Amino acid sequence: MEEKNITEQESLVIIQQMMNKTKEQLFDNSNLFLLWGFAAFICTVTQYILIKINIQNSEAVWIAMPIIAVIHIYIVIKQRSKIKVQTYNGNAISALWTAIGFAFISIVFFASQKINILPTIILLYAIGTFVSGKIINFKPLVFGGYISFLLSIAIAFIKDENQLILMAAAILISYIIPGFLLKKEYKNQQA
Amino acid sequence: MKTFTELDPILHSQLRLAIMSLLVGVKEAEFKYILEATQSTNGNLSVQITKLKEAEYIEVKKAFENNYPKTTCKITKKGTKAFEKYVSDIQKYLAVSRKS
């Protein structure tokens, strides 16, 4: 492209071409979905096993989460230098997950009051994945969101440690599977 | 019938229009991104970005990251208004030329 005069028709073609380039710009945040997905999945399954073999204070496995937060910050800083364009969609998704992150921190304090926080956590997963999926128009995330909404209702009918199985399912469907699909989609877009 | 002269001369140029069309859809973009998207040359893109900056249609931030210069461009409110007016002018023009 160079500096030259154009006709009105050519103008419209340029505007359309350039806007299409930014419209489908997918920000590769699949690594973050996979990081939190796997971390939460492993913690959930480990806690379930610990309860089954009668080990006390099984909830201690969640101490791993602040470590994951540190890895998260490291990934974000490393990715920042690679990001050449900041889209409004990317910003909206960051804001959404920051808010959900704050909500998770707040919920941890309820856990210390012996309040069951699992339904709320699944509900937050559902909101995060559903809205992210809608923003970037990525169906696996939207689908994961719907399933997590259903699981957050189903959990009311399930007792004790079996709730952890639903939690693991929610993580698998709303984080891990869409995370892998998102990664694949991003690679296809780059190719 | 409307003529070319009524269109904003700053925007009615291939590369400057491409830069503005890119920036209107994003929060901000790096020079390298604009370079790849418009398939322009370094020198030419710099000149056109400077013209848009002088017209106050875009903001240009220069920074250093890992010892490399990093130039980021962002559309201004004035730029967005000018772009919207340009698009609507073009639509009017095309509507008139279709009728005639």
Side-chain angles (χ1 to χ4, degrees):
Chain A
M1 215 173 264
E2 53 191 289
E3 165 61 8
K4 66 168 188 182
N5 282 331
I6 41 173
T7 66
E8 282 70 15
Q9 279 85 357
E10 282 171 332
S11 285
L12 283 188
V13 173
I14 294 168
I15 294 169
Q16 200 178 17
Q17 276 176 348
M18 290 298 126
M19 286 185 144
N20 278 343
K21 280 193 192 212
T22 54
K23 199 174 73 185
E24 298 301 329
Q25 184 75 32
L26 258 184
F27 167 55
D28 184 18
N29 41 18
S30 59
N31 285 340
L32 296 176
F33 270 102
L34 291 174
L35 171 75
W36 286 104
F38 275 113
F41 188 80
I42 292 166
C43 284
T44 309
V45 173
T46 312
Q47 191 185 1
Y48 180 78
I49 294 168
L50 291 180
I51 292 171
K52 283 288 171 195
I53 56 175
N54 281 325
I55 290 180
Q56 297 289 304
N57 299 326
S58 61
E59 62 278 6
V61 291
W62 295 98
I63 288 171
M65 285 295 145
I67 301 165
I68 303 301
V70 174
I71 301 173
H72 174 115
I73 294 166
Y74 173 76
I75 293 176
V76 169
I77 291 172
K78 232 180 130 193
Q79 270 183 346
R80 192 175 285 171
S81 57
K82 284 190 200 159
I83 297 171
K84 291 190 198 140
V85 57
Q86 268 197 39
T87 60
Y88 289 108
N89 281 353
N91 262 42
I93 291 173
S94 297
L96 169 70
W97 285 102
T98 306
I100 289 178
F102 285 134
F104 279 137
I105 295 169
S106 147
I107 283 170
V108 169
F109 290 93
F110 285 96
S112 64
Q113 305 269 331
K114 301 282 172 206
I115 292 170
N116 183 6
I117 60 171
L118 287 185
T120 321
I121 288 181
I122 296 179
L123 202 53
L124 286 175
Y125 285 163
I127 293 170
T129 43
F130 180 81
V131 178
S132 299
K134 283 284 180 190
I135 291 174
I136 61 170
N137 196 16
F138 189 63
K139 288 201 175 86
L141 275 173
V142 176
F143 179 75
Y146 278 125
I147 299 287
S148 287
F149 277 124
L150 291 177
L151 289 175
S152 73
I153 298 170
I155 205 164
F157 304 97
I158 288 169
K159 285 199 173 119
D160 305 327
E161 72 269 17
N162 288 331
Q163 289 190 343
L164 287 168
I165 297 172
L166 280 197
M167 168 93 164
I171 296 165
L172 192 68
I173 294 161
S174 64
Y175 272 59
I176 298 176
I177 296 172
F180 273 117
L181 294 174
L182 196 61
K183 203 173 190 63
K184 203 174 135 200
E185 178 92 2
Y186 182 75
K187 275 191 182 151
N188 286 345
Q189 197 195 47
Q190 294 300 95
Chain B
M1 186 155 165
K2 286 173 186 266
T3 61
F4 287 107
T5 50
E6 288 179 345
L7 291 166
D8 186 341
I10 299 166
L11 293 179
H12 199 57
S13 116
Q14 194 185 26
L15 186 51
R16 287 196 297 271
L17 182 61
I19 299 166
M20 290 293 282
S21 308
L22 263 189
L23 292 178
V24 80
V26 299
K27 193 169 174 250
E28 56 181 45
E30 251 186 66
F31 184 88
K32 275 184 202 161
Y33 176 80
I34 305 172
L35 192 68
E36 279 165 25
T38 58
Q39 294 179 323
S40 163
T41 58
N42 245 321
N44 197 4
L45 185 62
S46 292
V47 172
Q48 303 316 325
I49 282 181
T50 308
K51 281 189 188 170
L52 289 170
K53 189 187 157 194
E54 281 166 0
E56 293 175 343
Y57 284 5
I58 62 169
E59 266 173 37
V60 180
K61 266 192 301 185
K62 285 182 194 283
F64 275 90
E65 199 169 82
N66 302 326
N67 290 326
Y68 285 99
K70 183 181 166 182
T71 306
T72 320
C73 302
K74 188 181 176 180
I75 199 162
T76 60
K77 272 189 189 158
K78 189 178 171 186
T80 309
K81 273 196 182 152
F83 183 80
E84 282 165 357
K85 186 175 180 298
Y86 179 83
V87 172
S88 107
D89 285 348
I90 287 236
Q91 280 169 340
K92 275 182 218 154
Y93 177 88
L94 290 174
V96 170
S97 51
R98 240 179 252 133
K99 275 182 205 161
S100 57

